[in-house]
Amino acid sequence: MKPLLLLVFLALQITVPHFNEVVEHTFDGDARLLCVADLDSNGTQEILTWDSVTREVICYNCTGSTLWTLPVEYPLMTAAAEDLDDNGSKEIVLLEELGGDTYYSYRIMRIEQDGTVSWRKLIETNISAEFEFHFINADGKPGKEIAAANRILLGGGLERLAFERDRIIIGTAELDGAPYFLVETPAGYELYTFDTEPVWQGQPCEINTEAMESLLCTLFFNAGVCSCFEDWTFTESAPPMKSVRLWSDITGNGTEEALFFTDSSVQLLDSQGETLWTWESPHPIQTLHILDMTKDGSSEIVVEPISRGVHVPSLYVLDSTGELQSAFALNLSGTSTVVFSDLDGDTDPDLLTFDRREKKSTLSIYTNTVKKGQLDNLEPLRSLEIVDPSSFQTKFWTFYAQYRILAGIALAVIVGILFIMIRRRTK
């Protein structure tokens, strides 16, 4: 029976794309992946990283070649890219952590696409680990404003509005020509326009103003906060959220299905809410990606579990019928980031991973071999490891990843006992 299952599993590998690693950059210390974006609108994407040892921002093109570097004075927390002045290219905004006993805790920096610093702005605020930049055309004039922490800044760096230090802007939207800012506070959430008084206060499921219901639910969803409404139309630009139903044409049959996932399972429902299939994950689910990896018109569902280690499944690929097509081992062990994006502009989603550790961090770029682009012209370093989740080898490495500390302690105890026994016999 097992040989038959193995043959079936290997046959499924033919139907899924293969990823070849073509670029690998290592950093001697702690580093960060800042953002991935098409800065110059040429169809390929640039990759921004921060190196804590050299204290510089490094901008790579999609093939891993360095375009420019920028020395920075303080550690960087995050970055984002957006066309702020409507000139067709994206500018970069960075967040520096000043630390120490300074009055201002952070500094925002705007950089042009060629690495030139445009301006720096000191801010005093509390920053959470989930901090993100937001962009909105708040005044109707050309260009966009920057919503960062508790500040709203014009594209030129001038301050338009500031909230209290303990407030963080987590979402922006425009409704009937008016800008709205969803703000998180120690006591809950508030919704503002450019007035100093909030137009709404409360919790995600305490929306008592019918006119603002749709706006608030959308803002909460985009901010990754689950509200009382469960139905959302999925777009690839928005990260999926657990415990809500994401509507999209997963099967490619012209009708939308709802994808629902929790910590332990993935479900696909039809338009009447009937369950089409359920897939139980061997490991707790961290997130999932919905994308057409094979460019055949139907979506694959890539499940990213909470598992770290070598030779263990890091990505489970399901087809639109819920069947497991493949499992990949990314061999990540640090604080890692996984990004699916068409890096070289050949229409198929490529894969970028960033394994962040204290002593060594690694940036890896894998090309999707379905379509031929710039990345496919590079010499492959290795193929992304495909593993059989049911094999003894995979189970062994999974066990080792979960219990390696206990196994090390047990091994040390056994070695110690043997050493003592040998010494006693020699005496």
Side-chain angles (χ1 to χ4, degrees), residues 253-288:
N253 62 358
T255 62
E256 288 188 336
E257 299 84 22
L259 191 73
F260 178 86
F261 77 105
T262 64
D263 289 339
S264 58
S265 66
V266 181
Q267 281 186 316
L268 191 70
L269 298 85
D270 62 18
S271 57
Q272 284 74 43
E274 297 293 328
T275 300
L276 297 175
W277 53 258
T278 301
W279 182 79
E280 299 291 339
S281 177
H283 302 96
I285 298 175
Q286 178 170 274
T287 188
L288 56 80

Side-chain angles (χ1 to χ4, degrees), residues 109-403:
M109 185 190 316
R110 171 177 160 171
I111 301 174
E112 304 304 313
Q113 61 159 316
D114 60 357
T116 304
V117 177
S118 179
W119 50 259
R120 295 179 174 91
K121 173 74 174 180
L122 293 168
I123 61 172
E124 180 198 8
T125 186
N126 298 327
I127 296 292
S128 65
E130 295 80 21
F131 170 84
E132 292 183 1
F133 287 103
H134 301 275
F135 306 96
I136 184 174
N137 187 336
D139 56 8
K141 299 178 181 179
K144 294 181 180 178
E145 284 71 50
I146 304 167
N150 63 341
R151 307 297 176 94
I152 301 170
L153 306 175
L154 301 177
L158 298 176
E159 188 173 293
R160 176 66 171 81
L161 183 67
F163 299 108
E164 297 295 328
R165 180 190 177 100
D166 59 358
R167 280 155 169 76
I168 296 291
I169 301 170
I170 63 171
T172 62
E174 185 179 340
L175 179 64
D176 297 330
Y180 289 89
F181 309 95
L182 182 62
V183 176
E184 185 176 8
T185 75
Y189 300 91
E190 297 173 342
L191 183 68
Y192 287 88
T193 60
F194 276 136
D195 295 328
T196 56
E197 295 298 322
V199 296
W200 174 85
Q201 292 175 299
Q203 299 296 330
C205 293
E206 297 174 358
I207 302 173
N208 52 15
T209 168
E210 192 171 321
M212 293 292 177
E213 187 174 70
S214 176
L215 172 65
L216 280 166
C217 287
T218 301
L219 283 168
F220 278 122
F221 175 76
N222 291 336
V225 179
C226 190
S227 66
C228 291
F229 279 41
E230 294 186 342
D231 293 338
W232 301 94
T233 300
F234 174 79
T235 58
E236 289 193 8
S237 61
M241 190 198 305
K242 295 179 184 179
S243 301
V244 300
R245 297 189 300 181
L246 304 166
W247 290 90
S248 180
D249 184 8
I250 302 294
T251 60
N253 62 358
T255 62
E256 288 188 336
E257 299 84 22
L259 191 73
F260 178 86
F261 77 105
T262 64
D263 289 339
S264 58
S265 66
V266 181
Q267 281 186 316
L268 191 70
L269 298 85
D270 62 18
S271 57
Q272 284 74 43
E274 297 293 328
T275 300
L276 297 175
W277 53 258
T278 301
W279 182 79
E280 299 291 339
S281 177
H283 302 96
I285 298 175
Q286 178 170 274
T287 188
L288 56 80
H289 311 265
I290 307 173
L291 61 163
D292 186 359
M293 301 173 71
T294 56
K295 306 306 294 181
D296 60 355
S298 63
S299 298
E300 283 76 38
I301 301 157
V302 183
V303 180
E304 186 180 340
I306 303 174
S307 60
R308 297 290 180 266
V310 296
H311 311 304
V312 301
S314 306
L315 299 173
Y316 294 100
V317 182
L318 311 178
D319 64 15
S320 59
T321 67
E323 293 294 324
L324 179 63
Q325 288 187 315
S326 186
F328 293 109
L330 297 176
N331 299 327
L332 306 174
S333 59
T335 302
S336 59
T337 303
V338 177
V339 177
F340 282 96
S341 185
D342 181 13
L343 298 174
D344 58 359
D346 61 357
T347 73
D348 62 3
D350 304 302
L351 172 63
L352 181 148
T353 66
F354 197 88
D355 197 14
R356 183 186 173 200
R357 313 184 197 187
E358 290 185 5
K359 295 183 179 180
K360 180 183 177 181
S361 300
T362 305
L363 167 68
S364 299
I365 298 175
Y366 298 84
T367 181
N368 187 343
T369 60
V370 171
K371 300 290 185 179
K372 299 300 180 184
Q374 294 184 45
L375 290 176
D376 300 276
N377 296 327
L378 301 179
E379 187 70 26
L381 303 176
R382 62 186 68 84
S383 294
L384 189 61
E385 182 183 358
I386 299 176
V387 295
D388 178 3
S390 62
S391 68
F392 172 79
Q393 181 184 11
T394 301
K395 291 179 179 178
F396 169 79
W397 285 109
T398 301
F399 177 85
Y400 175 77
Q402 291 176 339
Y403 302 106

